[in-house]
Amino acid sequence: MTTNVVIQGASRGIGLQFCRHLIQKGTNVIACCRAPSQAEDLQKLKSEYENQVDIVKLDVTSESDIQEAAKYVSKCHGGKLDLLINSSGILHPSGRGETSLKDVSFKGLEDTLRVNTLGPLMMAKYFGPLLMAGGGTIGKKSSDPRKAHAGILVNMSARVASIGDNRLGGWYSYRVSKTALNMVTRNLSIELGRGRKKVICVALHPGTVDTSLSRPYHKNVPAGQLFSVEQSVSYLMGIIDGLSSAETGRYYGWDGKEIPF
Ligand SMILES: NC(=O)c1ccc[n+]([C@@H]2O[C@H](COP(=O)([O-])OP(=O)(O)OC[C@H]3O[C@@H](n4cnc5c(N)ncnc54)[C@H](OP(=O)(O)O)[C@@H]3O)[C@@H](O)[C@H]2O)c1
């Protein structure tokens, strides 16, 4: 049976590495990004694995793009989805998180929320039915048919989203957007968990990863704590592969430990 995965935010960073990782496992990867012609690394991957990669244009802040992409996936990829990863994200439109209130603006907050929170929610609206029709090939298999799951929805969160763990302050737009994304994830786990086969919905923190998002802050990261994308994605796939419907609605770090909301 074909395993269908949508990676949203696949042009670079962690999203691109999810594509690489899943292709190696023989998965059919539908890689969504907002500017396919500029996504050189993704295009290179497609040229190497022509039959396993389909690149679809999708700006996560555009409802019509999301709707069109979902219709396309439904029509051209068998109407079912085993895994959706919302990986796109921005720290702030300026590339740096706010350090104090004087840096906070409506524009910065709104733009960050649109990419990090509202986009993933709209993805669930249109891709939810495909996830409900999928499942079984990713995640932990249950011998009890009453506990069988449908597809899995992963929202890329961040540890700084944790209210309980917030001791430093700052980064208003990013923290607010990811905390709200965690609420979105928990809400989705309830609504998409009502069917006979439940869609598993989780929020994951990838660690501090060597990508352009975190680049301005690399010098502050203690030695050994800056992960490569390969490291981070292999940890995250370990968590995803072990998920069952009992874990839906939870928020995990890269090490598989739950993070307090
Ligand atoms: N790196 C870390 O240390 C770290 C830590 C905690 C959480 N995270 C989270 O992990 C996820 C992946 O981050 P990353 O480190 O891989 O960042 P990254 O290398 O900067 O990549 C960000 C991705 O988001 C895409 N994107 C931005 N705006 C978009 C839009 N409007 N529509 C569609 N795609 C859009 C980018 O596409 P373009 O190429 O088109 O710009 C790019 O593919 C994010 O959600 C981030 O918040 C990362």
Side-chain angles (χ1 to χ4, degrees):
M1 196 199 300
T2 315
T3 297
N4 281 342
V5 168
V6 165
I7 308 294
Q8 186 281 115
S11 59
R12 42 195 179 90
I14 296 169
L16 177 66
Q17 180 57 26
F18 268 117
C19 296
R20 285 204 183 99
H21 185 106
L22 286 156
I23 286 166
Q24 300 300 333
K25 290 180 150 185
T27 304
N28 181 37
V29 172
I30 300 132
C32 300
C33 65
R34 58 181 164 168
S37 62
Q38 287 161 40
E40 287 174 18
D41 292 333
L42 189 56
Q43 292 291 356
K44 210 186 292 169
L45 202 59
K46 181 168 171 61
S47 65
E48 283 170 54
Y49 299 92
E50 186 69 36
N51 298 331
Q52 267 178 270
V53 184
D54 194 357
I55 302 179
V56 176
K57 188 215 173 291
L58 190 160
D59 183 325
V60 81
T61 65
S62 160
E63 184 164 0
S64 58
D65 273 14
I66 297 172
Q67 191 170 17
E68 286 308 311
K71 264 194 223 159
Y72 171 80
V73 173
S74 177
K75 194 167 147 221
C76 301
H77 290 279
K80 64 125 197 162
L81 198 54
D82 301 289
L83 174 66
L84 163 62
I85 301 181
N86 283 310
S87 190
S88 64
I90 58 169
L91 195 52
H92 187 267
S94 70
R96 287 189 168 260
E98 306 94 333
T99 46
S100 76
L101 273 175
K102 69 175 171 22
D103 306 323
V104 173
S105 67
F106 272 115
K107 178 91 173 81
L109 285 160
E110 284 164 5
D111 287 355
T112 310
L113 275 156
R114 283 183 75 79
V115 178
N116 293 0
T117 320
L118 311 182
L121 175 54
M122 297 310 278
M123 286 292 295
K125 172 177 173 180
Y126 290 103
F127 284 87
L130 293 174
L131 285 166
M132 282 190 246
T137 58
I138 296 190
K140 198 156 88 189
K141 292 211 172 23
S142 173
S143 50
D144 181 349
R146 288 165 305 175
K147 292 186 181 155
H149 65 269
I152 298 177
L153 190 163
V154 172
N155 284 326
M156 293 301 293
S157 184
R159 183 172 292 275
V160 296
S162 168
I163 293 174
D165 197 44
N166 183 1
R167 291 173 189 86
L168 287 172
W171 290 19
Y172 284 91
S173 298
Y174 192 67
R175 282 188 191 272
V176 167
S177 70
K178 294 290 188 182
T179 305
L181 179 66
N182 286 351
M183 177 59 92
V184 162
T185 310
R186 177 59 78 92
N187 247 32
L188 290 172
S189 74
I190 295 168
E191 180 161 351
L192 301 179
R194 290 195 181 117
R196 194 177 52 82
K197 277 171 75 188
K198 296 169 193 339
V199 176
I200 300 173
C201 305
V202 291
L204 298 182
H205 164 59
T208 305
V209 188
D210 187 1
T211 65
S212 42
L213 183 137
S214 60
R215 194 142 298 137
Y217 302 95
H218 286 178
K219 63 177 184 320
N220 307 330
V221 183
Q225 288 184 30
L226 182 64
F227 296 158
S228 65
V229 287
E230 289 83 357
Q231 252 178 308
S232 172
V233 166
S234 105
Y235 293 141
L236 297 178
M237 278 312 305
I239 298 172
I240 294 167
D241 284 333
L243 287 172
S244 69
S245 49
E247 280 85 47
T248 195
R250 297 189 185 173
Y251 168 34
Y252 292 103
W254 58 270
D255 53 4
K257 293 193 182 128
E258 267 191 88
I259 303 175
F261 283 104

